[in-house]
């Protein structure tokens, strides 16, 4: 039995038993009263809805209050993107999707991934071997759950997307393991 089959079987068994509880980290980019002051500018690469590269753009980071994010997002989307939560394995809308198109941030509409780099990882989450543009995502160290991982966030709004691991396919060898709840899919054509 290879490692992926073992892990998938273990995740299914634990998830099926309802025993997975994902602790929330206290990290947050939301202001309690109003939006944070100051306009931090970042550069992202814009793409049209067909996935055609439009070029770089300097944009202000998307900042909203907790109440504004809660109004815009479903409870699961809010928990995942604004509170660094994780949806259960094999429950996300895009985990096993093979449709062609573009994946945008559910919070700010920033282009994040293309179906051209999506692959079947067997992990239970949508997996990609590269973002659509390295400028559109950022990584940081996540030490929650008693381990050290590389967290992936949206550059434009700081939404938590998932994690990146070094066990992916060529050409990058990376596996961007994303939460469906953090993504919005636009089919091609």
């Amino acid at each position: 039995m290879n490692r992926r089959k073992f892990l998938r079987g273990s995740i299914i068994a634990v998830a099926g038993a309802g025993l997975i509880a994902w602790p929330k980290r206290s990290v947050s980019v939301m202001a309690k009263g109003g939006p944070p002051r100051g306009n931090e500018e970042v550069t992202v690469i814009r793409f049209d809805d067909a996935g055609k590269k439009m070029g770089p753009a300097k944009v202000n980071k998307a900042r909203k209050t907790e109440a504004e994010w809660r109004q815009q997002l479903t409870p699961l989307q809010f928990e995942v993107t604004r509170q660094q939560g994780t949806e259960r394995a094999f429950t996300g809308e895009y985990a096993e999707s093979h449709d062609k198109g573009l994946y945008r941030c559910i919070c700010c509409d920033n282009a994040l991934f293309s179906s051209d780099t999506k692959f079947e990882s067997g992990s239970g989450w949508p997996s990609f071997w590269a973002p659509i543009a390295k400028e559109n995502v950022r990584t940081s160290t996540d030490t929650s759950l008693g381990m050290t991982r590389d967290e992936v966030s949206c550059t434009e709004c700081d939404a938590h997307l998932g994690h990146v691991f070094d066990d992916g396919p060529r050409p990058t060898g990376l596996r961007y393991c994303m939460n469906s709840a953090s993504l919005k899919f636009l089919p091609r054509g």
Side-chain angles (χ1 to χ4, degrees), residues 23-109:
K24 295 176 189 160
R25 294 185 309 163
S26 60
V27 176
S28 179
V29 295
M30 295 174 287
K32 293 294 179 191
R37 299 201 189 278
N39 291 327
E40 182 184 350
E41 203 173 69
V42 294
T43 299
V44 296
I45 307 299
R46 292 290 188 212
F47 291 82
D48 68 15
D49 288 346
K52 181 181 175 195
K53 187 176 183 178
M54 306 300 289
K58 287 188 182 254
V59 298
N60 288 329
K61 273 197 174 274
R63 301 287 188 186
K64 295 183 180 187
T65 64
E66 182 175 334
E68 289 170 325
W69 285 124
R70 284 187 186 276
Q71 185 176 9
Q72 175 184 332
L73 304 168
T74 69
L76 177 61
Q77 290 167 343
F78 179 83
E79 180 182 344
V80 168
T81 62
R82 308 322 308 175
Q83 297 182 316
Q84 290 73 31
T86 301
E87 63 195 10
R88 287 192 335 250
F90 303 102
T91 63
E93 180 179 2
Y94 308 124
E96 297 183 14
S97 171
H98 301 286
D99 295 337
K100 298 295 182 191
L102 180 70
Y103 292 86
R104 291 189 177 276
C105 178
I106 196 69
C107 295
C108 70
D109 223 30

Side-chain angles (χ1 to χ4, degrees), residues 116-133:
D116 296 339
T117 63
K118 191 172 189 292
F119 70 98
E120 196 62 52
S121 69
S123 67
W125 289 277
S127 298
F128 305 85
W129 50 262
I132 197 163

Side-chain angles (χ1 to χ4, degrees), residues 1-20:
M1 176 181 292
N2 69 28
R3 184 177 75 155
R4 282 198 178 141
K5 286 183 181 175
F6 173 78
L7 288 174
R8 182 179 179 147
S10 299
I11 290 170
I12 291 172
V14 173
L19 300 175
I20 294 180

